[in-house]
């Protein structure tokens, strides 16, 4: 049994709550100090086969995109504080593949029809065969249906502060989607259509603007026009800040993100998205870079940042082998430099295709400088390149890791926290490569990942790692069964742990993000351990209380609230009866004998006495009451701290006798109830001086009665009308529409047109209790 520090008596651990550190059963031994992969349920079945070369993509806001032949299947990992089930909580949605086939415009329709007729019967077999085999130029052979590739933007790009999804279909339609509502996806813009219209306006000219000399009757020109608007890959940059001059000559910081699209002819088309991205008018053509790469295969951003040096470039891989970085000019972005020339990372044309291209920023532990690690799969090998910028210039170190797989690498993923590279081949073997720095180069430690038993013998189509490296997702199907291929294949997505709960807890305590939502995958591992053991690990709680005494940050209090809420869920007994089943109690009474009833009651009595964990029912109810009191105490502390923050903003942004629409007087009275809070006393004194005995009461919109501030959750007027309060501004939400946090903890008011900018900024914050975005 363990408790928090004596100085934290009001919020310390209740005496009767057992906190164990030793596992009770063999199942608990799965959580061990070693990071042994453990299968997590549920296994998600897919309705259609996976499609594309890289079918899995995991976003920074914990959503997994799975490319299939009928739709983009999306699985959102939610760290649910309202459920006591040990399975992963996954919200499943999808974006269907458009039913209408895309028809690329390369010139007048009559001229294109004439060209198709000419080349389908061309006397030169080298031209005729190339034309007939090309699905874009010759649609009569039929286009493939499905999703080719998915790419997630950085966090904070849509109006809810979440990620945008770029989706590329197998018929080359590139669209941008977002989910403003909880389970609904909207298409914001069709970039393929937008770029096609631009090319038509420019007469299908190159970057130099010179009109083409040949027409569609020339086979090379026909190929060029299709190739210049056929997307192969797209990748998002990080968020950049630019200065924009306002009409009153003031400068305002504007955020933007770039989307780079790799075309079939090697062109890199850059689109600029003004954030938050809401509508098609917020996207504009930014630039085009002619890479000169023949038969391009993959794309990745290279972004270098060290002190006052910032650079960006686009890494392009080819099907014939070479890899190079193309410079990207970022005009108007403070502190950015541009590479003068393309940088060749690998120049051999060895006909080994470059796939699964990734780039991750790192800190060189020996030289204490920023560097970039670039990895890609080339057949059975893993190509790697280390880029370092020194006063002498750009240093390039590259090589290959050989002997990993006997079959080609089908997928590659990088865990950026504690950098590790995971590779897998089609036979299901997954390897982990951990880079180790020497003075001038890198050495990769290789190890086999232990495969859970249910994955043995399955074919793996793709892997992806969650944001903080807690889970790895695998898309798989059956392998050989009895030496034969199965007639019908079923496709599934599996989730396997990469870290233990102890490792996740240690990372949460020192998280640089200081945000529960951004670390939801690590939180889920801790949640799983508490639900299994029905306790909070004593070491975690003690260290957390110690850190709260040292730092006292809102993040640590929210983490404490999360742990206690999950503990409360673990103490609840699951319902034994199904509510949807009809009960026939009278029939049962007539059928059963008295002896049977007595025996049954005796068995039930024994079950009630010995519940999981060896705790009696009465004890459990006592514990639940005490844990609930603990939850209320921590919640109140978090709310009071947030009220001080809101009042501080009100004090800085209001004039004397100005109605701010925020219930300042109610917040002052609420905070004044605690006489031991010195910080509140000082703040209240300043607020009262500024308000000068003025008060602006909130009124009920139905009866105009005063709404008293007695509770931070709701407001009830004297006539019994009840309104929920905004968790961010503490205003009563008296409208039909409002925002609600992802975990359904609280609601937030939508900004009104008359609200000043500082109130709008308050209403953009995440949930005060769980850091989840307001949707």
């Amino acid at each position: 049994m363990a408790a928090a520090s004596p100085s934290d008596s009001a919020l310390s651990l209740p005496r009767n709550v057992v906190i164990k550190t030793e596992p009770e059963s063999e199942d608990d031994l799965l959580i061990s100090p070693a990071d042994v992969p453990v299968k997590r349920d549920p296994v998600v079945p897919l309705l259609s086969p996976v499609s594309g070369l890289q079918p899995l993509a995991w976003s920074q806001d914990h959503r997994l995109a799975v490319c299939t032949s009928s739709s983009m299947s999306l699985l959102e990992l939610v760290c649910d504080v309202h459920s006591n089930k040990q399975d992963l909580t996954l919200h499943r949605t999808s974006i269907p593949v458009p039913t209408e086939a895309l028809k690329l415009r390369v010139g007048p329709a009559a001229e294109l029809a004439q060209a198709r007729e000419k080349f389908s019967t061309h006397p030169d077999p080298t031209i005729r065969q190339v034309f007939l085999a090309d699905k874009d130029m010759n649609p009569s052979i039929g286009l493939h249906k499905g999703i080719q590739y998915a790419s997630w933007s950085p966090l904070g790009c849509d109006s809810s502060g979440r990620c945008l999804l770029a989706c590329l279909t197998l018929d080359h339609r590139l669209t941008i989607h977002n989910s403003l509502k909880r389970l609904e996806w909207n298409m914001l813009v069709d970039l393929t259509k937008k770029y096609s219209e631009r090319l038509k306006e420019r007469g299908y000219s190159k970057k130099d603007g010179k009109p083409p000399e040949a027409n569609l009757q020339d086979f090379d020109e026909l190929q060029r026009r299709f190739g210049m608007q056929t997307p192969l890959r797209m990748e998002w940059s990080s968020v950049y800040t630019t200065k924009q001059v306002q009409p009153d000559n003031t400068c305002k910081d504007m955020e933007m993100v770039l989307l780079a699209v790799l075309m079939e002819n090697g062109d890199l088309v850059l689109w600029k998205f003004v954030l938050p991205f809401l509508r098609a008018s917020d996207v504009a053509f930014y630039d085009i870079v002619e890479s000169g790469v023949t038969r391009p295969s993959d794309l990745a951003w290279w972004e270098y940042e060290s002190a006052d040096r910032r650079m960006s470039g686009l890494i392009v891989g080819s099907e014939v082998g070479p890899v190079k970085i193309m410079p990207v000019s970022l005009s108007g972005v403070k502190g950015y430099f541009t590479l003068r020339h393309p940088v060749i990372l690998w120049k051999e044309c060895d006909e080994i295709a470059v796939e699964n291209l990734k780039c991750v920023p790192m800190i060189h532990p020996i030289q204490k400088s920023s560097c970039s690690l670039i990895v890609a799969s080339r057949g059975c090998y893993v190509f790697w390149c280390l880029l370092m910028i020194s006063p002498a210039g750009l240093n390039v170190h590259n090589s290959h890791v050989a002997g990993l797989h006997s079959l080609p690498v089908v997928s590659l993923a990088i865990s950026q926290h504690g950098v590790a590279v995971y590779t897998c081949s089609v036979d299901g073997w997954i390897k982990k490569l951990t880079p180790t720095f020497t003075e001038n180069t890198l050495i990769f430690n290789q190890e086999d990942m232990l495969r859970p038993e249910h994955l043995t013998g399955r074919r793996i189509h793709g892997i992806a790692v969650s944001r903080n490296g807690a889970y790895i997702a695998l898309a798989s199907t059956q392998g050989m069964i009895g030496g034969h291929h199965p007639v019908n294949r079923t496709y599934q997505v599996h989730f396997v742990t990469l870290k233990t709960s102890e490792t996740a807890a240690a990372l949460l305590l020192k998280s640089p993000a200081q945000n529960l939502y951004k670390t939801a995958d690590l939180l889920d591992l801790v949640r799983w351990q508490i639900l299994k053991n029905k306790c909070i690990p004593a070491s975690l709680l003690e260290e957390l209380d110690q850190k709260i005494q040292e730092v006292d940050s809102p993040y640590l209090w929210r983490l404490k609230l999360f742990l206690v809420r999950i503990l409360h869920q673990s103490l609840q007994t699951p319902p034994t009866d199904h509510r949807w089943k009809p009960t026939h109690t009278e029939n049962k009474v007539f059928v059963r004998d008295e002896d049977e009833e007595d025996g049954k009651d005796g068995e039930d009595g024994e079950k009630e006495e010995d519940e999981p964990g060896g705790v009696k029912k009465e004890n459990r109810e006592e514990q639940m009451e005490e844990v609930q009191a603990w939850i209320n105490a921590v919640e109140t502390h978090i709310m009071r701290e947030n009220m001080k923050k809101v009042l501080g903003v009100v004090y800085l942004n209001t004039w004397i006798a100005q109605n701010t629409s925020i219930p300042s007087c109610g917040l002052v009275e609420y905070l004044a109830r605690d006489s031991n809070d010195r910080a509140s006393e000082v703040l209240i004194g300043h607020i009262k001086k500024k308000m000068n005995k003025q008060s602006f009461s909130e009124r009920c919109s139905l009866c105009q009665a005063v709404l008293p501030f007695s509770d931070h959750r709701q407001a009830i007027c004297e006539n019994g009308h009840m309104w929920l309060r905004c968790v961010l501004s503490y205003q009563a939400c008296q409208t039909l529409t409002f925002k609600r946090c992802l975990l359904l903890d609280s609601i937030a008011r939508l900004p009104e047109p008359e609200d000043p900018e500082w109130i709008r900024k308050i209403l953009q914050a995440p949930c005060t209790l769980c850091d989840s975005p307001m949707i």
Side-chain angles (χ1 to χ4, degrees):
M1 190 180 297
S5 58
S7 62
D8 197 14
S9 57
L11 304 174
S12 61
L13 183 64
R15 290 287 179 183
N16 294 337
V17 178
V18 179
I19 299 228
K20 301 166 285 184
T21 55
E22 300 297 329
E24 288 185 341
S25 64
E26 289 183 3
D27 291 337
D28 293 332
L29 294 173
L30 293 174
I31 307 291
S32 63
D35 289 337
V36 177
V38 179
K39 176 184 77 77
R40 288 298 308 274
D41 287 330
V43 174
V44 181
L46 297 174
L47 302 179
S48 307
V50 296
S51 60
L53 293 176
Q54 301 172 36
L56 296 183
W58 212 320
S59 71
Q60 292 183 13
D61 59 357
H62 314 291
R63 292 186 281 193
L64 181 69
V66 187
C67 303
T68 72
S69 59
S70 63
S71 65
M72 176 74 76
S73 185
L74 296 143
L75 309 171
E76 181 172 4
L77 174 63
V78 179
C79 195
D80 196 355
V81 293
H82 306 293
S83 170
N84 58 3
K85 293 182 178 179
Q86 293 184 24
D87 291 356
L88 290 170
T89 303
L90 300 168
H91 288 178
R92 186 168 183 175
T93 51
S94 67
I95 301 172
V97 173
T99 53
E100 294 181 4
L102 176 68
K103 296 179 180 178
L104 294 175
R105 292 187 295 181
V106 293
E111 193 177 331
L112 177 61
Q114 188 179 355
R116 281 174 171 160
E117 185 179 350
K118 172 185 175 181
F119 295 121
S120 62
T121 57
H122 199 278
D124 187 345
T126 57
I127 293 178
R128 185 176 67 251
Q129 291 302 325
V130 171
F131 174 81
L132 291 175
D134 192 298
K135 296 186 293 297
D136 302 317
M137 292 191 291
N138 179 29
S140 62
I141 62 175
L143 291 172
H144 291 303
K145 289 284 186 180
I147 306 294
Q148 181 177 343
Y149 190 64
S151 180
W152 292 98
S153 77
L155 199 61
C157 288
D158 75 348
S159 58
S160 301
R162 308 186 80 192
C163 298
L164 299 170
L165 175 62
C167 179
L168 178 63
T169 60
L170 286 171
D171 61 354
H172 312 300
R173 190 193 308 261
L174 175 56
T175 51
I176 309 298
H177 302 258
N178 77 331
S179 60
L180 275 180
K181 299 181 181 177
R182 219 162 283 273
L183 298 174
E184 179 183 333
W185 287 87
N186 307 310
M187 190 189 81
L188 296 173
V189 61
D190 185 336
L191 290 182
T192 301
K193 181 180 178 183
K194 198 174 180 72
Y195 190 58
S196 180
E197 290 170 355
R198 174 183 169 81
L199 289 177
K200 183 182 178 184
E201 291 171 3
R202 292 172 53 86
Y204 303 97
S205 62
K206 294 183 179 180
K207 186 178 181 179
D208 55 14
K210 293 180 181 178
E213 297 177 359
N215 58 20
L216 294 182
Q217 301 303 311
D218 184 282
F219 187 67
D220 290 337
E221 177 64 17
L222 182 68
Q223 273 189 312
R224 186 187 73 84
R225 291 196 190 183
F226 273 102
M228 71 191 305
Q229 55 180 317
T230 302
L232 297 179
R233 287 286 184 275
M234 63 283 178
E235 293 295 339
W236 299 87
S237 71
S238 59
V239 177
Y240 302 119
T241 303
T242 60
K243 296 285 185 183
Q244 188 177 55
V245 180
Q246 301 299 304
D248 58 355
N249 287 331
T250 59
C251 283
K252 183 180 179 182
D253 283 345
M254 298 292 293
E255 289 189 329
M256 71 166 189
V257 67
L258 297 178
L259 179 68
V261 185
L262 176 64
M263 296 298 180
E264 195 176 67
N265 68 340
D267 286 352
L268 297 163
V269 180
L270 297 174
W271 296 93
K272 174 185 172 182
F273 291 76
V274 179
L275 303 182
F277 182 57
L278 300 173
R279 59 193 73 85
S281 58
D282 292 337
V283 61
F285 173 81
Y286 187 77
D287 195 8
I288 185 169
V289 180
E290 295 177 339
S291 69
V293 175
T294 56
R295 293 168 58 191
S297 60
D298 213 340
L299 175 71
W301 276 91
W302 171 68
E303 293 176 317
Y304 174 86
E305 184 171 350
S306 176
D308 59 341
R309 285 190 176 187
R310 300 178 188 177
M311 293 187 186
S312 287
L314 286 166
I315 312 167
V316 185
S318 169
E319 289 183 10
V320 296
V323 185
K324 69 177 178 178
I325 300 179
M326 297 302 300
V328 174
S329 176
L330 294 175
S331 58
V333 180
K334 186 179 178 182
Y336 268 79
F337 297 85
T338 304
L339 291 171
R340 294 181 181 177
H341 307 286
V343 179
I344 306 297
L345 304 182
W346 183 257
K347 64 179 180 180
E348 300 296 332
C349 294
D350 46 18
E351 294 295 330
I352 304 178
V354 178
E355 294 172 342
N356 303 295
L357 198 54
K358 312 284 181 188
C359 179
V360 59
M362 299 177 70
I363 301 295
H364 199 296
I366 299 173
Q367 300 184 7
K368 307 297 181 186
S369 61
S370 298
C371 58
S372 302
L373 175 63
I374 299 166
V375 292
S377 61
R378 298 182 72 246
C380 298
Y381 312 111
V382 171
F383 166 78
W384 65 266
C385 180
L386 183 65
L387 294 181
M388 293 187 292
I389 294 181
S390 66
L394 183 65
N395 299 320
V396 179
H397 305 274
N398 58 29
S399 185
H400 285 77
V401 180
L404 278 177
H405 300 280
S406 56
L407 293 174
V409 176
V410 294
S411 192
L412 181 149
I414 292 186
S415 173
Q416 297 194 11
H417 295 266
V419 176
V421 180
Y422 297 91
T423 64
C424 79
S425 59
V426 74
D427 57 7
W429 285 105
I430 301 176
K431 307 278 186 172
K432 179 182 178 182
L433 302 176
T434 309
T436 304
F437 283 89
T438 62
E439 187 65 34
N440 293 316
T441 186
L442 273 178
I443 298 173
F444 284 91
N445 298 325
Q446 304 178 23
E447 56 182 301
D448 291 335
M449 269 189 63
L450 296 176
R451 287 185 298 177
E453 192 174 332
H454 73 294
L455 284 174
T456 304
R458 294 186 69 86
R459 291 179 59 185
I460 305 295
H461 291 273
I463 58 175
V465 176
S466 64
R467 172 174 181 163
N468 300 288
Y471 291 106
I472 186 169
L474 305 96
S476 72
T477 187
Q478 298 100 325
M480 301 282 281
I481 299 175
H484 301 281
H485 291 285
V487 178
N488 296 313
R489 295 189 183 276
T490 56
Y491 293 80
Q492 298 175 336
V493 177
H494 308 263
F495 295 90
V496 178
T497 65
L498 292 178
K499 295 185 184 338
T500 62
S501 302
E502 288 82 5
T503 306
L507 290 172
L508 286 169
L509 288 174
K510 58 183 181 182
S511 167
Q514 294 288 292
N515 184 287
L516 291 183
Y517 177 67
K518 291 179 181 177
T519 55
D521 51 342
L522 295 173
L523 269 179
D524 195 77
L525 287 175
V526 178
R527 170 183 172 271
W528 184 36
Q529 184 187 30
I530 295 174
L531 290 176
K532 285 180 67 178
N533 298 343
K534 300 188 183 298
C535 67
I536 303 173
S539 57
L540 170 59
L541 196 63
E542 287 170 8
E543 193 171 349
L544 179 59
D545 283 333
Q546 184 180 348
K547 278 189 170 291
I548 285 175
Q549 285 185 1
E550 294 170 359
V551 184
D552 196 26
S553 72
Y555 165 74
L556 295 174
W557 280 103
R558 289 179 190 131
L559 176 57
K560 187 171 186 176
L561 177 63
F562 171 84
L563 297 177
V564 185
R565 289 170 80 178
I566 296 301
L567 176 62
H568 187 267
Q569 288 293 335
S570 71
L571 295 174
Q572 293 182 1
T573 53
T576 53
D577 57 332
H578 298 284
R579 293 182 181 179
W580 57 270
K581 277 189 176 179
T583 54
H584 304 287
T585 50
E586 295 181 1
N587 295 343
K588 287 181 181 178
V589 170
F590 287 116
V591 170
R592 290 189 305 185
D593 294 332
E594 290 181 6
D595 294 338
E596 289 178 356
E597 289 178 13
D598 291 340
K600 191 79 174 176
D601 291 340
E603 288 173 11
D604 289 344
E606 288 174 10
K607 283 182 183 176
E608 284 181 6
E609 266 186 61
D610 296 322
E611 291 198 5
V615 183
K616 292 186 178 179
K617 187 176 180 181
E618 294 79 8
N619 261 352
R620 187 175 293 276
E621 288 176 358
E622 259 181 59
Q623 287 182 14
M624 286 183 65
E625 288 176 8
E626 291 178 346
V627 173
Q628 184 60 55
W630 195 13
I631 291 173
N632 295 340
V634 179
E635 266 187 22
T636 303
H637 176 88
I638 292 173
M639 281 297 174
R640 285 179 62 86
E641 291 302 312
N642 195 58
M643 285 177 189
K644 294 178 199 174
K645 183 180 172 183
V646 171
L647 280 179
V649 176
V650 169
Y651 177 75
L652 291 174
N653 290 281
T654 56
W655 300 100
I656 297 171
Q658 179 188 6
N659 185 5
T660 65
S661 78
I662 288 180
S664 307
C665 293
L667 291 175
V668 165
E669 291 171 8
Y670 188 87
L671 287 174
R673 294 177 191 173
D674 187 356
S675 57
N676 297 323
D677 193 343
R678 177 62 184 157
S680 294
E681 286 181 18
V682 174
L683 182 61
I684 288 169
H686 288 303
I687 291 282
K688 284 186 174 178
K689 275 185 186 178
K690 194 165 191 177
M691 293 180 71
N692 197 18
K693 298 183 180 179
Q694 305 248 357
S695 63
F696 302 94
S697 303
E698 281 187 298
R699 295 193 174 271
C700 176
S701 61
L702 297 178
C703 63
Q704 298 304 310
V706 173
L707 286 172
F709 194 100
S710 55
D711 187 1
H712 58 77
R713 295 183 188 85
Q714 60 188 24
I716 305 175
C717 74
E718 60 184 14
N719 295 319
H721 300 134
M722 187 190 79
W723 306 98
L724 295 176
R725 286 200 177 276
C726 169
V727 76
L728 302 175
S729 66
Y730 301 101
Q731 298 161 291
C733 294
Q734 302 188 54
T735 56
L736 295 176
T737 55
F738 49 80
K739 295 191 290 184
R740 198 168 184 185
C741 92
L742 186 66
L743 297 185
L744 310 181
D745 274 332
S746 55
I747 68 166
R749 186 175 74 91
L750 291 169
E752 301 290 340
E754 62 272 11
D755 285 340
E757 190 62 33
W758 62 271
I759 289 185
R760 291 175 177 273
K761 194 172 180 181
I762 288 176
L763 296 176
Q764 287 173 359
C767 176
T768 308
L769 296 174
C770 62
D771 278 332
S772 296
M774 291 289 183
I775 300 172

